[in-house]
Amino acid sequence: RKEVEQDPGPFNVPEGATVAFNCTYSNSASQSFFWYRQDCRKEPKLLMSVYSSGNEDGRFTAQLNRASQYISLLIRDSKLSDSATYLCVVTRRRDYSGAGSYQLTFGKGTKLSVIP
Amino acid sequence: DVKVTQSSRYLVKRTGEKVFLECVQDMDHENMFWYRQDPGLGLRLIYFSYDVKMKEKGDIPEGYSVSREKKERFSLILESASTNQTSMYLCAALRGAISGANVLTFGAGSRLTVL
């Protein structure tokens, strides 16, 4: 099983729709979780961190389910400008101690196209 | 916000050439990373550094080396470029331990084509 897996996509949704992405992770020692957004031919940029209690930022809601080992991203009232690839990131400590000893693993991303 | 600058946005090199990709960050962050991103494969870690002159191999270090002589600069070196190293290369920086407050910030990327 891959360490981080995302919905394969692509997701093609009409404006105004609600869309949800899931991301599963295999290592129960994973500590921090993030969603990044990547526009075509640009670098990934942080969309939001994912907290244990769930968190919301405007139309975006992120949730973490440690028991089932997945995180989710919900986008409400989709806009054309939401079209992008969404990457989940999972981190854990490496097997050795020391500064910078974190393993960051990226999902391959889910492409979202919001259609007029 | 930290700014991560990659010196070259687009490069075209020939097989066997030595290639330097430079990355500079302006916020004194300890940790710096080099990734490559390919369609269908996602982001893969090549090397990272958690301090000056310190480096650690990532998942795909073969064919690459790195240099971190100053805290703000992390260079990726392809000693002898090959066509399978054609890719988008992304540099990133991180302050301290990753958390909700400390996040990974990427440069704009360097798209390398090896002919």
Side-chain angles (χ1 to χ4, degrees):
Chain A
R1 182 181 173 186
K2 292 180 181 171
E3 190 160 350
V4 176
E5 291 193 83
Q6 288 189 244
D7 285 352
F11 285 63
N12 300 311
V13 302
E15 269 187 292
T18 295
V19 61
F21 307 136
N22 284 330
C23 173
T24 58
Y25 60 94
S26 60
N27 194 317
S28 59
S30 298
Q31 294 179 300
S32 301
F33 308 88
F34 307 88
W35 284 103
Y36 275 71
R37 170 196 169 123
Q38 186 172 24
D39 293 300
C40 189
R41 304 184 79 83
K42 297 284 184 74
E43 75 274 23
K45 292 184 178 178
L46 179 70
L47 177 65
M48 56 198 304
S49 304
V50 186
Y51 299 114
S52 298
S53 55
N55 47 299
E56 191 173 301
D57 183 2
R59 298 181 292 108
F60 298 84
T61 301
Q63 292 193 310
L64 166 64
N65 186 318
R66 284 194 184 273
S68 300
Q69 295 185 195
Y70 74 86
I71 62 172
S72 63
L73 177 68
L74 182 78
I75 306 174
R76 290 181 299 278
D77 188 23
S78 300
K79 311 290 184 192
L80 296 176
S81 57
D82 294 333
S83 297
T85 296
Y86 292 83
L87 307 170
C88 68
V89 183
V90 175
T91 75
R92 61 175 173 83
R93 288 193 72 90
R94 291 177 183 268
D95 292 335
Y96 55 85
S97 62
S101 57
Y102 288 88
Q103 171 84 28
L104 290 84
T105 304
F106 286 79
K108 292 183 180 179
T110 300
K111 186 173 181 180
L112 171 66
S113 294
V114 181
I115 303 161
Chain B
D1 288 345
V2 67
K3 185 165 183 181
V4 180
T5 302
Q6 293 183 233
S7 55
S8 303
R9 290 296 308 275
Y10 300 95
L11 302 95
V12 180
K13 297 290 182 182
R14 296 203 175 275
T15 300
E17 280 192 82
K18 191 169 186 176
V19 182
F20 291 88
L21 298 179
E22 302 286 339
C23 176
V24 177
Q25 50 102 355
D26 65 357
M27 288 294 288
D28 205 36
H29 284 16
E30 299 91 340
N31 305 297
M32 296 187 75
F33 305 78
W34 274 107
Y35 290 88
R36 65 178 281 178
Q37 187 174 32
D38 302 285
L41 297 177
L43 277 151
R44 293 181 291 167
L45 181 64
I46 304 171
Y47 268 96
F48 71 97
S49 168
Y50 53 88
D51 205 347
V52 175
K53 297 190 186 295
M54 306 303 288
K55 60 185 179 184
E56 293 288 343
K57 292 180 180 178
D59 301 316
I60 51 162
E62 296 79 19
Y64 303 95
S65 61
V66 290
S67 172
R68 186 131 182 239
E69 296 297 316
K70 294 185 178 181
K71 198 171 188 178
E72 68 269 20
R73 188 179 298 269
F74 191 35
S75 303
L76 180 69
I77 302 152
L78 289 67
E79 292 289 341
S80 178
S82 62
T83 54
N84 63 11
Q85 292 178 309
T86 292
S87 186
M88 167 70 96
Y89 290 88
L90 289 157
C91 176
L94 172 68
R95 176 172 61 90
I98 196 163
S99 68
N102 296 333
V103 295
L104 199 63
T105 301
F106 286 90
S110 298
R111 188 168 292 277
L112 171 67
T113 301
V114 182
L115 301 176

